[in-house]
Amino acid sequence: MSDNHPKTVREIRINPIVPTESVLVATARGMRPRKAEERVARDDRVHVETCPFCRGNEDKTPPAIAHWPSEKDWEIRMVENLYPVLGSDPGDGNVNFGLQQAIEGYGRHEVMIDHHHHGIRLHEMSEAHIAMLFGAYRERMEQLYASDNRLKYVLVFKNYGLAAGGSIPHTHSQIIATPVVPQNVHDEVENSHRHHQKYGQCIFCTLIDEALSYEATIYDRKSGEIKRKIDVGQYVIERSEHFVAIKPFASRYEWEVHILPLEHAPDFLQVTPELLADFAGVLKRTMARLDAVLEGAQYNYFIHSQPHGESFADCGKSYHWHLEICPRTTIPTGFELGSGLFVSTISPEDAAAKLRDVRLEL
Amino acid sequence: MSDNHPKTVREIRINPIVPTESVLVATARGMRPRKAEERVARDDRVHVETCPFCRGNEDKTPPAIAHWPSEKDWEIRMVENLYPVLGSDPGDGNVNFGLQQAIEGYGRHEVMIDHHHHGIRLHEMSEAHIAMLFGAYRERMEQLYASDNRLKYVLVFKNYGLAAGGSIPHTHSQIIATPVVPQNVHDEVENSHRHHQKYGQCIFCTLIDEALSYEATIYDRKSGEIKRKIDVGQYVIERSEHFVAIKPFASRYEWEVHILPLEHAPDFLQVTPELLADFAGVLKRTMARLDAVLEGAQYNYFIHSQPHGESFADCGKSYHWHLEICPRTTIPTGFELGSGLFVSTISPEDAAAKLRDVRLEL
C-alpha cells in the first residue's frame, strides 16, 4: 500500500479523448491554508408550501408535458421552462456580418422535476426511482428527436447546489435541445471517430479496459527506481454487471466521475429498463460516495450520447454514451480562463482511493 | 435610438477567432427573478496588520524577486508563490502508459503584489501606477523567457474577488510560466495564423476595424423589414491614441471586455513605456465603468501575447497581443459543462451601451 500513499504530484495530464480538456494536477497547492469551506445548510424538507415544484402547486408552473408514473400522484413531472434559453418561436434567423456569425437560437428548454420530495438528494432516492428518472430522460429525448429534425442534439443535465449554478432548491434536471451539436459533444464524437478509423477500436472501450485490467510499473531509466505504479482497478469507483464508474486519470474537476456501460453502446436511447435498473445502483452508490467525501456534494451531471442526424450515423462503432458527474469544489481562476488548463489540487489516484474507502450505508 | 433599444435576443454567436469559445445569448432568461446578488463587502483598508502582502510584513512572504520602483518604499513587489502549481525542482519526468500522457509540471509560479495599498481597486490606482504594474509584468515575462528555454509560455493573470477565485484579499496578480503553450493561447495563435495565410490579414486588426468603422443594416429577405442594425462604434467601450477596449460581439462572459493595441503588435514584450502610459488610461477607465455597472466588479484578467520559441516565430504578422477582462457574474452550470456553450443573459449590445453610459468621475 505504501506505493499508493499520496505523494506530491505536479504534472499536466492530457485528456486522451479531448486533449483540449486537460488538467494540471498540483497537489502541493492543496496544502495551502483554506478557510473552512462554507457548508451549505441542507434543505431536507419534504414539502414546501411556496415551492412551485412541490405537489399541490402544479398550477404555479407552466403546463406539464408529462408525468411519471401518472398525473395523479406523480413522482416525476416534466414542464416547460418559464425562461427558456432556446425557443421554438420564430426569431431573427441566422445573422452574419463581417467576421461575425450568429445562429438562430431555435430549440427547446424543459424542466424535469426529479422527485416530488423537495429536498431529497440523489443517493437518497430508491434505485427504482432513479431508473424511472433516467427512463423519463430517455423517453423525452426520443420524443424531441422524433418531433423536429431541426433539433440536432438533446442535452440532459442536472445542477445541484448553488456552487453548481442550481438556483432552484427543489431537486430537478433540465433538457435542452439545440439547433447544432454542441462543441463538447462534437469534439468527443469527432475525436473518437478518428481514433476508430485509425485503430479500429472504440477509445472509451479501451479506457474501460485500461481501468479494469491494466497494471503497470514505470521505472526511472537511469536509476532503475520505481517512478510510478498503476494498480489494477485503481481508478474504478463502482462496478456492476453492466456499468462502471471511473475516476479518470485526467479530468478537469477534482472529483469528476464518469459512468459508462461496460458493453459498447453509442446511444443512450437504446438503453433498456433492465440496464437502467442496473445503472441506477451504480449511480446511487457513486453519489453516496461523493456526498460522504465532500460532506454534501454540489454537482452537475450530464449525459453524452451519439447525436442523431445523418452526419453522425457512422459513429455507432466509435462513440460510447456515458454520464459525467462534476462536483463543484473550486472556482476557476484567471489561470484557467487564460490557459484553458484546469488546476486540480487532489490527485485522481487519491480522490479515487478516498471515494472507494467510503463505507456505504444504503 | 429605438433600434438600439434592447429587445429579446436568442442566438448562438460564434467566436470568430476561436469558434469553440462560442456563446448562447438568451436575454429573456435575464427576466428570471433572481435573489439580489450578494454584494461583497468592500475591504478598503490601506494597511492590515496580519496581511503578509502589506508593507512591514515582508518577512511573512517568501523572498522577493523584485521591487518597483525600489526595495525601500516599494509600491509593487514580486515574490515566489508559497504553493506553486508548477515548479523548477526535478519531478518524475513525463509519464506515459496506455492512452494516458502526463507532462512534467515544470515551470514557475510567482506572485505580484500589485500595490502596497491593501484594498485599492484597479481603477483607483493612478495611471502612472498601472503603467508601472504592466511594465513590471513585461519585465518579468522577459526575464523568465530569457532565463530558461524550457519555459514555453508566460501567463500573467489577476483574480479579483471571491467569485473570480481570488482567495487572498490584498490586491495581487500571478505569473505562471508553463512547459507547453497553453491550449487557449495555442488555439488563438494557430487560428489567427491560418486566417493570415488565407487572407493576408491579422484577424484581430480586422475585428478592430469592424468595431471602429463598420455600420450595417440587415433586412429580412422576404418582408424587407429591418432585422438588425449595427452602428459604428457600438461595441467600443474606450479608445485612446493607441488602444481600444471592445465588448466582443461573441464572448463567453457577459461583461467581458478586451483591450487591444490599435496598431498591429504581436508581442506584449515589445510594448514601450509611452504605450503603457496610454494603455493605463484605457484600462483604468474600463475598470471604472465595469465597477460602476456591476456595483463592485469581481473579475479575472490575463494577457495573451505571441509565444516565444521557434515554432511561433512566424506568427508575428498574424497574432496581436491583448488583455482579456472577464467579470464573473454567473456560475457555469451543467449546460455549459456538457455543451461547452456559455449562456449570456445580457446582450453584448446592451452591455456595451450600459458601460458607455457610465459617467466617469476619475
Side-chain angles (χ1 to χ4, degrees), chain A residues 10 12 29 32 83 85 89 92 99 103 105 159 167 184 210 227 304 328 332 334 337-338, chain B residues 10 12 29 32 83 85 89 92 99 103 105 159 167 184 210 227 304 328 332 334 337-338:
Chain A
R10 195 149 61 195
I12 297 170
R29 192 147 177 96
R32 180 173 173 157
Y83 305 98
V85 295
D89 46 324
D92 270 356
L99 292 169
I103 299 164
N159 308 328
S167 51
N184 284 8
E210 226 176 73
K227 259 168 70 170
H304 274 178
R328 303 286 289 273
L337 271 56
Chain B
R10 195 149 60 194
I12 297 170
R29 192 148 176 95
R32 180 174 173 156
Y83 305 99
V85 295
D89 45 324
D92 271 356
L99 292 170
I103 299 164
N159 308 328
S167 51
N184 284 9
E210 226 176 72
K227 259 168 70 170
H304 274 178
R328 303 285 289 273
L337 271 56

mmCIF file of all heavy atoms in Angstrom, chain A residues 10 12 29 32 83 85 89 92 99 103 105 159 167 184 210 227 304 328 332 334 337-338, chain B residues 10 12 29 32 83 85 89 92 99 103 105 159 167 184 210 227 304 328 332 334 337-338:
data_model
loop_
_atom_site.group_PDB
_atom_site.id
_atom_site.type_symbol
_atom_site.label_atom_id
_atom_site.label_comp_id
_atom_site.label_asym_id
_atom_site.label_seq_id
_atom_site.Cartn_x
_atom_site.Cartn_y
_atom_site.Cartn_z
ATOM 1 N N ARG A 10 2.823 16.759 -9.610
ATOM 2 C CA ARG A 10 2.771 18.034 -10.317
ATOM 3 C C ARG A 10 2.992 17.738 -11.785
ATOM 4 O O ARG A 10 4.135 17.584 -12.217
ATOM 5 C CB ARG A 10 3.837 18.978 -9.762
ATOM 6 C CG ARG A 10 3.616 20.405 -10.165
ATOM 7 C CD ARG A 10 4.123 21.375 -9.106
ATOM 8 N NE ARG A 10 5.554 21.214 -8.902
ATOM 9 C CZ ARG A 10 6.210 21.715 -7.855
ATOM 10 N NH1 ARG A 10 5.575 22.398 -6.932
ATOM 11 N NH2 ARG A 10 7.499 21.530 -7.734
ATOM 12 N N ILE A 12 0.970 17.869 -15.989
ATOM 13 C CA ILE A 12 -0.141 18.206 -16.870
ATOM 14 C C ILE A 12 -0.615 16.910 -17.502
ATOM 15 O O ILE A 12 0.155 16.221 -18.167
ATOM 16 C CB ILE A 12 0.305 19.207 -17.956
ATOM 17 C CG1 ILE A 12 0.744 20.524 -17.301
ATOM 18 C CG2 ILE A 12 -0.818 19.452 -18.962
ATOM 19 C CD1 ILE A 12 1.429 21.492 -18.251
ATOM 20 N N ARG A 29 -0.329 22.345 -3.859
ATOM 21 C CA ARG A 29 -1.195 23.501 -3.694
ATOM 22 C C ARG A 29 -2.331 23.213 -2.710
ATOM 23 O O ARG A 29 -2.888 24.116 -2.104
ATOM 24 C CB ARG A 29 -1.765 23.910 -5.047
ATOM 25 C CG ARG A 29 -2.424 25.247 -5.006
ATOM 26 C CD ARG A 29 -2.280 25.985 -6.303
ATOM 27 N NE ARG A 29 -2.989 27.244 -6.250
ATOM 28 C CZ ARG A 29 -2.419 28.387 -5.950
ATOM 29 N NH1 ARG A 29 -1.139 28.434 -5.678
ATOM 30 N NH2 ARG A 29 -3.123 29.496 -5.931
ATOM 31 N N ARG A 32 -2.180 24.509 0.848
ATOM 32 C CA ARG A 32 -2.470 25.908 1.102
ATOM 33 C C ARG A 32 -3.575 26.058 2.142
ATOM 34 O O ARG A 32 -4.608 25.405 2.049
ATOM 35 C CB ARG A 32 -2.929 26.493 -0.226
ATOM 36 C CG ARG A 32 -3.276 27.916 -0.198
ATOM 37 C CD ARG A 32 -3.529 28.315 -1.634
ATOM 38 N NE ARG A 32 -4.028 29.664 -1.654
ATOM 39 C CZ ARG A 32 -3.932 30.453 -2.702
ATOM 40 N NH1 ARG A 32 -3.373 30.023 -3.794
ATOM 41 N NH2 ARG A 32 -4.399 31.658 -2.660
ATOM 42 N N TYR A 83 -38.398 30.348 -18.458
ATOM 43 C CA TYR A 83 -37.420 31.288 -19.020
ATOM 44 C C TYR A 83 -36.439 30.533 -19.904
ATOM 45 O O TYR A 83 -35.283 30.348 -19.544
ATOM 46 C CB TYR A 83 -36.677 32.015 -17.892
ATOM 47 C CG TYR A 83 -37.614 32.695 -16.932
ATOM 48 C CD1 TYR A 83 -37.962 32.101 -15.725
ATOM 49 C CD2 TYR A 83 -38.175 33.929 -17.251
ATOM 50 C CE1 TYR A 83 -38.839 32.725 -14.846
ATOM 51 C CE2 TYR A 83 -39.053 34.555 -16.384
ATOM 52 C CZ TYR A 83 -39.381 33.952 -15.185
ATOM 53 O OH TYR A 83 -40.250 34.567 -14.322
ATOM 54 N N VAL A 85 -33.748 29.232 -22.611
ATOM 55 C CA VAL A 85 -32.595 29.816 -23.309
ATOM 56 C C VAL A 85 -32.709 29.584 -24.813
ATOM 57 O O VAL A 85 -32.070 30.273 -25.600
ATOM 58 C CB VAL A 85 -31.245 29.262 -22.792
ATOM 59 C CG1 VAL A 85 -31.021 29.676 -21.343
ATOM 60 C CG2 VAL A 85 -31.138 27.760 -22.938
ATOM 61 N N ASP A 89 -40.312 29.647 -30.988
ATOM 62 C CA ASP A 89 -40.949 30.773 -31.655
ATOM 63 C C ASP A 89 -39.995 31.339 -32.697
ATOM 64 O O ASP A 89 -38.781 31.301 -32.533
ATOM 65 C CB ASP A 89 -41.312 31.855 -30.635
ATOM 66 C CG ASP A 89 -40.175 32.129 -29.667
ATOM 67 O OD1 ASP A 89 -39.459 31.167 -29.308
ATOM 68 O OD2 ASP A 89 -39.981 33.286 -29.277
ATOM 69 N N ASP A 92 -34.969 35.838 -35.419
ATOM 70 C CA ASP A 92 -34.413 36.660 -36.493
ATOM 71 C C ASP A 92 -33.798 35.826 -37.610
ATOM 72 O O ASP A 92 -33.347 36.385 -38.607
ATOM 73 C CB ASP A 92 -33.308 37.553 -35.919
ATOM 74 C CG ASP A 92 -33.860 38.880 -35.429
ATOM 75 O OD1 ASP A 92 -35.063 39.110 -35.613
ATOM 76 O OD2 ASP A 92 -33.084 39.668 -34.877
ATOM 77 N N LEU A 99 -16.949 39.422 -39.857
ATOM 78 C CA LEU A 99 -16.442 38.133 -39.385
ATOM 79 C C LEU A 99 -17.434 37.440 -38.457
ATOM 80 O O LEU A 99 -17.173 36.348 -37.977
ATOM 81 C CB LEU A 99 -15.131 38.335 -38.626
ATOM 82 C CG LEU A 99 -13.926 38.793 -39.443
ATOM 83 C CD1 LEU A 99 -12.789 39.197 -38.512
ATOM 84 C CD2 LEU A 99 -13.455 37.674 -40.369
ATOM 85 N N ILE A 103 -26.166 32.056 -35.009
ATOM 86 C CA ILE A 103 -27.122 31.022 -35.387
ATOM 87 C C ILE A 103 -28.386 31.243 -34.564
ATOM 88 O O ILE A 103 -28.313 31.434 -33.345
ATOM 89 C CB ILE A 103 -26.534 29.626 -35.083
ATOM 90 C CG1 ILE A 103 -25.257 29.413 -35.897
ATOM 91 C CG2 ILE A 103 -27.558 28.532 -35.349
ATOM 92 C CD1 ILE A 103 -24.413 28.262 -35.386
ATOM 93 N N GLY A 105 -31.379 31.036 -32.226
ATOM 94 C CA GLY A 105 -31.496 30.238 -31.001
ATOM 95 C C GLY A 105 -32.748 29.389 -30.971
ATOM 96 O O GLY A 105 -33.580 29.519 -30.071
ATOM 97 N N ASN A 159 -28.235 20.453 -12.281
ATOM 98 C CA ASN A 159 -27.433 21.336 -11.435
ATOM 99 C C ASN A 159 -27.921 21.144 -10.010
ATOM 100 O O ASN A 159 -29.091 21.382 -9.730
ATOM 101 C CB ASN A 159 -27.642 22.806 -11.814
ATOM 102 C CG ASN A 159 -27.433 23.064 -13.293
ATOM 103 O OD1 ASN A 159 -26.618 22.405 -13.932
ATOM 104 N ND2 ASN A 159 -28.166 24.017 -13.848
ATOM 105 N N SER A 167 -30.124 27.252 -9.072
ATOM 106 C CA SER A 167 -30.736 28.391 -8.384
ATOM 107 C C SER A 167 -32.079 28.028 -7.750
ATOM 108 O O SER A 167 -32.588 28.752 -6.911
ATOM 109 C CB SER A 167 -30.913 29.560 -9.357
ATOM 110 O OG SER A 167 -31.565 29.128 -10.531
ATOM 111 N N ASN A 184 -18.659 20.473 -27.158
ATOM 112 C CA ASN A 184 -18.046 19.416 -26.340
ATOM 113 C C ASN A 184 -18.418 18.031 -26.850
ATOM 114 O O ASN A 184 -17.589 17.123 -26.858
ATOM 115 C CB ASN A 184 -18.490 19.535 -24.874
ATOM 116 C CG ASN A 184 -17.773 20.652 -24.154
ATOM 117 O OD1 ASN A 184 -17.054 21.428 -24.785
ATOM 118 N ND2 ASN A 184 -17.956 20.741 -22.849
ATOM 119 N N GLU A 210 -8.515 -0.366 -19.768
ATOM 120 C CA GLU A 210 -7.367 0.126 -19.014
ATOM 121 C C GLU A 210 -7.698 0.201 -17.526
ATOM 122 O O GLU A 210 -6.906 -0.190 -16.675
ATOM 123 C CB GLU A 210 -7.022 1.527 -19.529
ATOM 124 C CG GLU A 210 -5.557 1.752 -19.785
ATOM 125 C CD GLU A 210 -5.311 3.124 -20.388
ATOM 126 O OE1 GLU A 210 -5.427 4.139 -19.672
ATOM 127 O OE2 GLU A 210 -5.003 3.174 -21.585
ATOM 128 N N LYS A 227 9.251 4.726 -10.596
ATOM 129 C CA LYS A 227 8.720 6.086 -10.715
ATOM 130 C C LYS A 227 7.234 6.104 -10.413
ATOM 131 O O LYS A 227 6.710 7.041 -9.826
ATOM 132 C CB LYS A 227 8.907 6.588 -12.159
ATOM 133 C CG LYS A 227 10.082 7.508 -12.347
ATOM 134 C CD LYS A 227 10.410 7.734 -13.808
ATOM 135 C CE LYS A 227 9.386 8.563 -14.543
ATOM 136 N NZ LYS A 227 9.875 8.941 -15.902
ATOM 137 N N HIS A 304 -23.812 12.345 -22.225
ATOM 138 C CA HIS A 304 -23.274 12.491 -23.577
ATOM 139 C C HIS A 304 -23.616 11.225 -24.357
ATOM 140 O O HIS A 304 -23.302 10.121 -23.911
ATOM 141 C CB HIS A 304 -21.754 12.702 -23.536
ATOM 142 C CG HIS A 304 -21.357 14.134 -23.361
ATOM 143 N ND1 HIS A 304 -20.053 14.548 -23.254
ATOM 144 C CD2 HIS A 304 -22.110 15.262 -23.313
ATOM 145 C CE1 HIS A 304 -20.016 15.871 -23.123
ATOM 146 N NE2 HIS A 304 -21.246 16.320 -23.145
ATOM 147 N N ARG A 328 -18.631 20.371 -7.821
ATOM 148 C CA ARG A 328 -18.036 21.708 -7.951
ATOM 149 C C ARG A 328 -17.438 22.108 -6.612
ATOM 150 O O ARG A 328 -18.160 22.505 -5.697
ATOM 151 C CB ARG A 328 -19.105 22.689 -8.405
ATOM 152 C CG ARG A 328 -19.767 22.273 -9.731
ATOM 153 C CD ARG A 328 -18.869 22.509 -10.917
ATOM 154 N NE ARG A 328 -18.753 23.915 -11.169
ATOM 155 C CZ ARG A 328 -19.599 24.620 -11.923
ATOM 156 N NH1 ARG A 328 -20.584 24.018 -12.536
ATOM 157 N NH2 ARG A 328 -19.435 25.903 -12.086
ATOM 158 N N PRO A 332 -12.871 28.269 -11.027
ATOM 159 C CA PRO A 332 -11.800 28.509 -11.997
ATOM 160 C C PRO A 332 -11.312 29.954 -11.887
ATOM 161 O O PRO A 332 -12.108 30.870 -11.683
ATOM 162 C CB PRO A 332 -12.477 28.265 -13.349
ATOM 163 C CG PRO A 332 -13.684 27.441 -13.050
ATOM 164 C CD PRO A 332 -14.117 27.837 -11.675
ATOM 165 N N GLY A 334 -8.252 33.118 -13.168
ATOM 166 C CA GLY A 334 -7.679 33.682 -14.382
ATOM 167 C C GLY A 334 -6.716 32.719 -15.061
ATOM 168 O O GLY A 334 -6.532 32.783 -16.277
ATOM 169 N N LEU A 337 -9.018 30.475 -17.093
ATOM 170 C CA LEU A 337 -9.614 31.239 -18.189
ATOM 171 C C LEU A 337 -8.576 31.583 -19.253
ATOM 172 O O LEU A 337 -8.856 31.540 -20.445
ATOM 173 C CB LEU A 337 -10.248 32.534 -17.659
ATOM 174 C CG LEU A 337 -11.711 32.457 -17.223
ATOM 175 C CD1 LEU A 337 -11.961 31.412 -16.175
ATOM 176 C CD2 LEU A 337 -12.183 33.819 -16.734
ATOM 177 N N GLY A 338 -7.375 31.927 -18.807
ATOM 178 C CA GLY A 338 -6.356 32.368 -19.750
ATOM 179 C C GLY A 338 -5.646 31.231 -20.449
ATOM 180 O O GLY A 338 -5.197 31.374 -21.582
ATOM 181 N N ARG B 10 -31.946 35.850 -28.901
ATOM 182 C CA ARG B 10 -31.747 34.440 -28.584
ATOM 183 C C ARG B 10 -31.002 33.829 -29.753
ATOM 184 O O ARG B 10 -31.606 33.485 -30.767
ATOM 185 C CB ARG B 10 -33.099 33.762 -28.359
ATOM 186 C CG ARG B 10 -32.982 32.436 -27.683
ATOM 187 C CD ARG B 10 -34.194 32.124 -26.821
ATOM 188 N NE ARG B 10 -35.412 32.092 -27.614
ATOM 189 C CZ ARG B 10 -36.631 32.120 -27.098
ATOM 190 N NH1 ARG B 10 -36.810 32.202 -25.791
ATOM 191 N NH2 ARG B 10 -37.676 32.088 -27.873
ATOM 192 N N ILE B 12 -26.980 31.824 -31.008
ATOM 193 C CA ILE B 12 -25.652 31.288 -30.704
ATOM 194 C C ILE B 12 -24.654 32.092 -31.520
ATOM 195 O O ILE B 12 -24.737 32.124 -32.743
ATOM 196 C CB ILE B 12 -25.576 29.792 -31.063
ATOM 197 C CG1 ILE B 12 -26.562 28.999 -30.199
ATOM 198 C CG2 ILE B 12 -24.151 29.267 -30.875
ATOM 199 C CD1 ILE B 12 -26.743 27.562 -30.639
ATOM 200 N N ARG B 29 -33.962 35.105 -20.577
ATOM 201 C CA ARG B 29 -33.615 34.430 -19.338
ATOM 202 C C ARG B 29 -33.250 35.434 -18.242
ATOM 203 O O ARG B 29 -33.349 35.139 -17.061
ATOM 204 C CB ARG B 29 -32.463 33.470 -19.582
ATOM 205 C CG ARG B 29 -32.251 32.537 -18.436
ATOM 206 C CD ARG B 29 -31.745 31.188 -18.879
ATOM 207 N NE ARG B 29 -31.471 30.349 -17.733
ATOM 208 C CZ ARG B 29 -32.323 29.475 -17.245
ATOM 209 N NH1 ARG B 29 -33.502 29.330 -17.795
ATOM 210 N NH2 ARG B 29 -32.011 28.744 -16.204
ATOM 211 N N ARG B 32 -35.725 36.303 -15.508
ATOM 212 C CA ARG B 32 -35.934 35.367 -14.419
ATOM 213 C C ARG B 32 -35.711 36.042 -13.072
ATOM 214 O O ARG B 32 -34.722 36.737 -12.877
ATOM 215 C CB ARG B 32 -34.904 34.259 -14.620
ATOM 216 C CG ARG B 32 -34.946 33.193 -13.614
ATOM 217 C CD ARG B 32 -33.971 32.129 -14.073
ATOM 218 N NE ARG B 32 -33.845 31.134 -13.058
ATOM 219 C CZ ARG B 32 -33.459 29.898 -13.303
ATOM 220 N NH1 ARG B 32 -33.145 29.543 -14.517
ATOM 221 N NH2 ARG B 32 -33.373 29.034 -12.344
ATOM 222 N N TYR B 83 2.874 28.246 -2.639
ATOM 223 C CA TYR B 83 2.246 26.974 -3.032
ATOM 224 C C TYR B 83 2.145 26.902 -4.547
ATOM 225 O O TYR B 83 1.060 27.014 -5.117
ATOM 226 C CB TYR B 83 0.855 26.849 -2.397
ATOM 227 C CG TYR B 83 0.890 26.999 -0.900
ATOM 228 C CD1 TYR B 83 0.563 28.208 -0.298
ATOM 229 C CD2 TYR B 83 1.283 25.937 -0.095
ATOM 230 C CE1 TYR B 83 0.615 28.351 1.081
ATOM 231 C CE2 TYR B 83 1.341 26.072 1.278
ATOM 232 C CZ TYR B 83 1.004 27.280 1.865
ATOM 233 O OH TYR B 83 1.060 27.414 3.221
ATOM 234 N N VAL B 85 1.875 25.935 -8.449
ATOM 235 C CA VAL B 85 1.267 24.845 -9.223
ATOM 236 C C VAL B 85 2.278 24.232 -10.181
ATOM 237 O O VAL B 85 2.103 23.113 -10.640
ATOM 238 C CB VAL B 85 0.013 25.309 -10.009
ATOM 239 C CG1 VAL B 85 -1.093 25.723 -9.051
ATOM 240 C CG2 VAL B 85 0.323 26.425 -10.986
ATOM 241 N N ASP B 89 11.871 22.333 -9.381
ATOM 242 C CA ASP B 89 12.537 21.181 -8.787
ATOM 243 C C ASP B 89 12.290 19.956 -9.657
ATOM 244 O O ASP B 89 11.243 19.828 -10.284
ATOM 245 C CB ASP B 89 12.009 20.935 -7.372
ATOM 246 C CG ASP B 89 10.493 21.015 -7.302
ATOM 247 O OD1 ASP B 89 9.912 21.857 -8.027
ATOM 248 O OD2 ASP B 89 9.879 20.245 -6.562
ATOM 249 N N ASP B 92 9.031 13.803 -11.743
ATOM 250 C CA ASP B 92 9.057 12.436 -12.258
ATOM 251 C C ASP B 92 9.393 12.372 -13.746
ATOM 252 O O ASP B 92 9.512 11.284 -14.298
ATOM 253 C CB ASP B 92 7.675 11.799 -12.070
ATOM 254 C CG ASP B 92 7.553 11.105 -10.725
ATOM 255 O OD1 ASP B 92 8.567 11.066 -10.004
ATOM 256 O OD2 ASP B 92 6.467 10.609 -10.415
ATOM 257 N N LEU B 99 -3.265 4.837 -22.958
ATOM 258 C CA LEU B 99 -3.677 6.040 -23.683
ATOM 259 C C LEU B 99 -3.304 7.311 -22.931
ATOM 260 O O LEU B 99 -3.578 8.406 -23.392
ATOM 261 C CB LEU B 99 -5.194 6.024 -23.882
ATOM 262 C CG LEU B 99 -5.757 4.966 -24.823
ATOM 263 C CD1 LEU B 99 -7.276 4.926 -24.715
ATOM 264 C CD2 LEU B 99 -5.355 5.264 -26.264
ATOM 265 N N ILE B 103 2.624 15.320 -18.724
ATOM 266 C CA ILE B 103 3.807 16.145 -18.956
ATOM 267 C C ILE B 103 4.273 16.673 -17.605
ATOM 268 O O ILE B 103 3.465 17.164 -16.810
ATOM 269 C CB ILE B 103 3.451 17.329 -19.884
ATOM 270 C CG1 ILE B 103 2.970 16.800 -21.241
ATOM 271 C CG2 ILE B 103 4.626 18.274 -20.049
ATOM 272 C CD1 ILE B 103 2.235 17.849 -22.059
ATOM 273 N N GLY B 105 5.309 18.733 -14.570
ATOM 274 C CA GLY B 105 4.841 20.073 -14.211
ATOM 275 C C GLY B 105 5.973 21.030 -13.929
ATOM 276 O O GLY B 105 6.069 21.593 -12.838
ATOM 277 N N ASN B 159 -6.724 37.629 -10.321
ATOM 278 C CA ASN B 159 -8.031 37.213 -9.804
ATOM 279 C C ASN B 159 -8.445 38.247 -8.774
ATOM 280 O O ASN B 159 -7.739 38.446 -7.793
ATOM 281 C CB ASN B 159 -7.942 35.851 -9.103
ATOM 282 C CG ASN B 159 -7.287 34.789 -9.967
ATOM 283 O OD1 ASN B 159 -7.419 34.806 -11.182
ATOM 284 N ND2 ASN B 159 -6.573 33.861 -9.341
ATOM 285 N N SER B 167 -8.496 34.242 -3.563
ATOM 286 C CA SER B 167 -8.646 33.820 -2.170
ATOM 287 C C SER B 167 -7.892 34.734 -1.210
ATOM 288 O O SER B 167 -8.129 34.715 -0.017
ATOM 289 C CB SER B 167 -8.177 32.373 -2.011
ATOM 290 O OG SER B 167 -6.893 32.210 -2.570
ATOM 291 N N ASN B 184 -5.533 27.522 -24.795
ATOM 292 C CA ASN B 184 -6.277 28.708 -25.243
ATOM 293 C C ASN B 184 -5.412 29.626 -26.090
ATOM 294 O O ASN B 184 -5.875 30.198 -27.076
ATOM 295 C CB ASN B 184 -6.811 29.502 -24.039
ATOM 296 C CG ASN B 184 -8.020 28.849 -23.416
ATOM 297 O OD1 ASN B 184 -8.362 27.725 -23.776
ATOM 298 N ND2 ASN B 184 -8.668 29.530 -22.487
ATOM 299 N N GLU B 210 -13.663 46.453 -37.739
ATOM 300 C CA GLU B 210 -15.100 46.231 -37.685
ATOM 301 C C GLU B 210 -15.723 47.054 -36.563
ATOM 302 O O GLU B 210 -16.766 47.681 -36.731
ATOM 303 C CB GLU B 210 -15.351 44.745 -37.426
ATOM 304 C CG GLU B 210 -16.403 44.129 -38.307
ATOM 305 C CD GLU B 210 -16.513 42.637 -38.064
ATOM 306 O OE1 GLU B 210 -17.032 42.228 -37.012
ATOM 307 O OE2 GLU B 210 -16.061 41.881 -38.933
ATOM 308 N N LYS B 227 -34.009 43.764 -39.831
ATOM 309 C CA LYS B 227 -33.793 42.699 -38.856
ATOM 310 C C LYS B 227 -32.806 43.151 -37.795
ATOM 311 O O LYS B 227 -32.927 42.822 -36.630
ATOM 312 C CB LYS B 227 -33.196 41.471 -39.555
ATOM 313 C CG LYS B 227 -34.188 40.379 -39.855
ATOM 314 C CD LYS B 227 -33.627 39.336 -40.796
ATOM 315 C CE LYS B 227 -32.551 38.469 -40.178
ATOM 316 N NZ LYS B 227 -32.205 37.324 -41.060
ATOM 317 N N HIS B 304 -2.747 37.857 -23.293
ATOM 318 C CA HIS B 304 -2.407 36.893 -24.337
ATOM 319 C C HIS B 304 -1.427 37.565 -25.294
ATOM 320 O O HIS B 304 -1.713 38.643 -25.817
ATOM 321 C CB HIS B 304 -3.664 36.441 -25.089
ATOM 322 C CG HIS B 304 -4.364 35.293 -24.427
ATOM 323 N ND1 HIS B 304 -5.535 34.752 -24.897
ATOM 324 C CD2 HIS B 304 -4.025 34.551 -23.343
ATOM 325 C CE1 HIS B 304 -5.902 33.741 -24.121
ATOM 326 N NE2 HIS B 304 -5.017 33.606 -23.168
ATOM 327 N N ARG B 328 -16.867 38.208 -13.325
ATOM 328 C CA ARG B 328 -17.527 36.934 -13.021
ATOM 329 C C ARG B 328 -18.863 37.221 -12.355
ATOM 330 O O ARG B 328 -18.909 37.544 -11.164
ATOM 331 C CB ARG B 328 -16.620 36.100 -12.123
ATOM 332 C CG ARG B 328 -15.240 35.847 -12.755
ATOM 333 C CD ARG B 328 -15.290 34.817 -13.854
ATOM 334 N NE ARG B 328 -15.517 33.516 -13.297
ATOM 335 C CZ ARG B 328 -14.557 32.704 -12.868
ATOM 336 N NH1 ARG B 328 -13.300 33.047 -12.975
ATOM 337 N NH2 ARG B 328 -14.853 31.535 -12.357
ATOM 338 N N PRO B 332 -21.110 28.898 -14.248
ATOM 339 C CA PRO B 332 -21.436 27.950 -15.316
ATOM 340 C C PRO B 332 -22.170 26.738 -14.742
ATOM 341 O O PRO B 332 -21.846 26.271 -13.652
ATOM 342 C CB PRO B 332 -20.063 27.536 -15.855
ATOM 343 C CG PRO B 332 -19.118 28.601 -15.426
ATOM 344 C CD PRO B 332 -19.662 29.133 -14.137
ATOM 345 N N GLY B 334 -24.465 22.855 -15.558
ATOM 346 C CA GLY B 334 -24.317 21.615 -16.311
ATOM 347 C C GLY B 334 -24.482 21.828 -17.805
ATOM 348 O O GLY B 334 -23.926 21.076 -18.604
ATOM 349 N N LEU B 337 -21.027 23.001 -18.906
ATOM 350 C CA LEU B 337 -20.069 21.901 -18.794
ATOM 351 C C LEU B 337 -20.332 20.827 -19.847
ATOM 352 O O LEU B 337 -19.407 20.262 -20.417
ATOM 353 C CB LEU B 337 -20.141 21.266 -17.397
ATOM 354 C CG LEU B 337 -19.235 21.865 -16.322
ATOM 355 C CD1 LEU B 337 -19.444 23.337 -16.122
ATOM 356 C CD2 LEU B 337 -19.408 21.117 -15.005
ATOM 357 N N GLY B 338 -21.603 20.552 -20.089
ATOM 358 C CA GLY B 338 -21.942 19.467 -21.005
ATOM 359 C C GLY B 338 -21.862 19.865 -22.463
ATOM 360 O O GLY B 338 -21.583 19.034 -23.323
#
